[in-house]
Amino acid sequence: MKKCTGSLALAALSLFPVLAFASGAIEGDVKQQATNWHAIIMFVVFVAFTMGITYWAARRTRSASDFYTAGGGISGFQNGLAIAGDYMSAASFLGISAMVFDKGFDGLIYSIGFLVGWPVILFLVAERLRNLGKYTFADVASYRLQQTPVRSFAATSTLMVVAMYLIAQMVGAGKLIQLLFGMSYSSAVIMVGILMVCYVLFGGMLATTWVQIIKAVLLLCGASFMAFMVLSTVGFSPEMMFEKAVAAHAKHAAIMAPGKADPVDSISLGMALMFGTAGLPHILMRFFTVSDAKEARKSVFYATGFIGYFYILTFIIGFGAIMLVLNQPGMMETVTKNGKEVHQLIGGSNMAAIHLANAVGGDMFLGFISAVAFATILAVVAGLALSGASAVSHDLYASVIMKGKANEADEIRVSKITTVVLGIIAIVLGLVFEKQNIAFMVGLAFSIAASANFPILFLSMFWKGLTTRGAVIGGFVGLVSAILLIVVGPTVWVDIMKHPTALFPYKNPAIFSITLAFVSTWLFSVTDKSKSAEDEKAKFDAQFVRSMTGIGATGASKH
Amino acid sequence: MNEDVLKKVQSNPKFKELVHKKTSLGWQLSIVMLVIYYGFTLVLAFSPSTLGAPLAPGMTMTVGIPVGILIILSAFLLTGLYVRKANGEFDQLNREIVEEAQK
């Protein structure tokens, strides 16, 4: 693939702070490439097909429950695929394989961090969430607390997480499309924004889920084929693959062993990944699309299986790229970075999986993988937009502004207007932030989810003593401390703002901000002697019975 | 849920059994996962050479690779174990509780 030149680290569109931090943010300009027709044709087929699905879904989406949760009619297996799809973003595909390509074993360490949150979500969160909630995680957090303050907090942190993610995905999409399709940055960003709004506006959760499922299947098939082809070149002997990779890589045997890491940063990162996943609004809302607790459990089981399998594939793909792409004629370029000449893969390490697709499957397969990478971004931003829209319409409009007296038609109208507004905002921000370092926003999204959403959600389900005052103060403490510690940490303070040393030494603040959130939630709850606090504690028993048995839980709608 | 149903469920010994079984299994498995993961993280932080050692003398593959793959598999197996228990035994118990509460 000679079309790819330019210096870019795609990792910034990564779902994950680490990857973004590890390989640097998007740097400088990406040169627009020659038009890649294979990729464009396959992408057009994908868009046409998903628009067909959106049309089909639109005819089935009438009530609020259809719009937010696909009427609760998604099966555990389908939802497992959709959740896996949310997780297998273009970033984890390109970013993790790039990381394995650069550092070998360390790439596997990150994959593991992303995966191990899932079992814990299953054991402690999934079914309780399904039994208590209806459309958003704020339903659960505010179950026995005062609606207005708790939902205002939940909607604020949801919108923060969604905004950070959307910007990162939009900018990443623009750069990726420029590189893969040869389209201009601004037209790419506008196209992503419009398609995202179409899926959500017309097809609601049903279309959003099916787009995600289709993409997940395509990505799993494509990655499986690549891993199979890589292994077939070494006679299906992993040992042979590692030997060849060690011989080809500049770091030699070091790629087989873990690199240096600061213990506090590693553990903090582990916590952000594990608990951040359990606090991401667009992941949590997927638990409301299944009919009951049983299907919710199955979703996590299948999701864990698919994600784990996918990470093993990306590990093989990364090593395959070292073997088959690194230093091969026509795959390398020399660019100037910060005044130094760097010999690198064309388009940077993040293109490792894309080059490998070309090496093992030719131009057609390269086009397929490029189209899938773009489809992945579309599916993820659609989920984000829907989650932001439900925070505004269900939490802010219906519960806070209308005090629960909004009629369903108005609530849907508000969420549709919000979707359009979010689409416009996403396009504008995507254009404004084109040249910005966006890595820290992704880091923020995960840290906020882990430090603000997760502690409140967890305590509302497990601790009788939680009161409105504790939840709101503790949640905001988590939110603010996560943002502040990232800003004064090495990523923003030194790398972006160019100060000589960071005020806070760690890249990953989660261990501190999560602790702060838990401690202040506890403190402001136990010292809350108000009458309403007493009532809130008294309501815990009924909530507990419902969370365990599902009695009174919102079921699937009839159709 | 009205007061009557709530009282019935709470006083049902089967509910206590369900709560006990589900909660303890959930926490036990969570702890297993946390121990596996943070154990791995601590080895990485304090003794990375353990994972970087060759699997057998003369081999390129290091101990860390099968260990990493096994952790991924363990996550899948633990979720499988829980789902099997919960969708079978616990749901059966749950159905009985719900039926008895609505009598």
Side-chain angles (χ1 to χ4, degrees), chain A residues 105 109 113 115-116 122-124 127 239 243 246 256-258 270-271 274 294 297 301 305 308 541 545 548-549, chain B residues 6 10 22 26 29-30 33-34 37-38 44 48 52 59-62 64-65 72 76 79-80 82 86-87 91 94:
Chain A
F105 184 73
I109 299 175
L115 186 70
V116 292
L122 170 68
F123 307 147
L124 301 178
E127 57 191 276
E239 175 66 14
E243 271 171 27
V246 166
M256 300 302 294
M271 289 179 68
M274 192 173 236
K294 185 175 188 162
R297 290 182 205 120
F301 172 65
D541 287 347
V545 168
M548 289 307 270
T549 61
Chain B
L6 179 61
Q10 279 179 318
K22 206 196 264 188
L29 293 179
S30 299
M33 192 73 251
L34 292 171
Y37 178 56
Y38 288 103
L44 280 175
M59 257 182 109
T60 311
M61 199 188 300
T62 50
I65 287 167
I72 292 179
F76 182 60
T79 56
Y82 182 83
N87 283 3
D91 270 4
N94 202 7

Side-chain angles (χ1 to χ4, degrees), chain A residues 254-336:
Chain A
I255 58 168
M256 300 302 294
K260 266 203 178 127
D262 179 88
V264 175
D265 245 340
S266 312
I267 291 172
S268 190
L269 172 69
M271 289 179 68
L273 297 179
M274 192 173 236
F275 302 122
T277 308
L280 290 174
H282 67 293
I283 298 271
L284 293 173
M285 75 174 178
R286 294 220 173 269
F287 288 107
F288 307 120
T289 64
V290 291
S291 58
D292 53 25
K294 185 175 188 162
E295 296 300 312
R297 290 182 205 120
K298 280 194 204 162
S299 320
V300 187
F301 172 65
Y302 290 119
T304 311
F306 287 126
I307 297 168
Y309 171 65
F310 178 72
Y311 284 151
I312 294 175
L313 294 179
T314 51
F315 187 65
I316 298 172
I317 289 170
F319 270 95
I322 298 175
M323 246 187 353
L324 302 172
V325 175
L326 185 66
N327 294 326
Q328 299 298 316
M331 299 285 190
M332 304 298 286
E333 63 177 359
T334 305
V335 294
T336 315

Side-chain angles (χ1 to χ4, degrees), chain A residues 15-16 86-87 118 137 158 161 165 273 275-286 384 387 445-450 453-454 457:
Chain A
L15 198 83
F16 318 128
D86 273 328
Y87 227 57
W118 284 105
F137 91 91
T158 297
V161 172
Y165 251 97
L273 297 179
F275 302 122
T277 308
L280 290 174
H282 67 293
I283 298 271
L284 293 173
M285 75 174 178
R286 294 220 173 269
L384 284 168
S387 142
F446 244 86
S447 299
I448 294 172
N453 296 354
F454 173 74
L457 183 66

Side-chain angles (χ1 to χ4, degrees), chain A residues 55-102:
Chain A
Y55 177 73
W56 163 81
R59 298 170 58 191
R60 280 168 176 71
T61 300
R62 290 183 200 91
S63 66
S65 141
D66 293 335
F67 185 77
Y68 294 127
T69 65
I74 305 289
S75 77
F77 180 76
Q78 291 163 347
N79 196 38
L81 266 175
I83 291 174
D86 273 328
Y87 227 57
M88 302 183 294
S89 63
S92 44
F93 178 55
L94 302 178
I96 294 186
S97 51
M99 192 131 185
V100 176
F101 176 77
D102 279 335

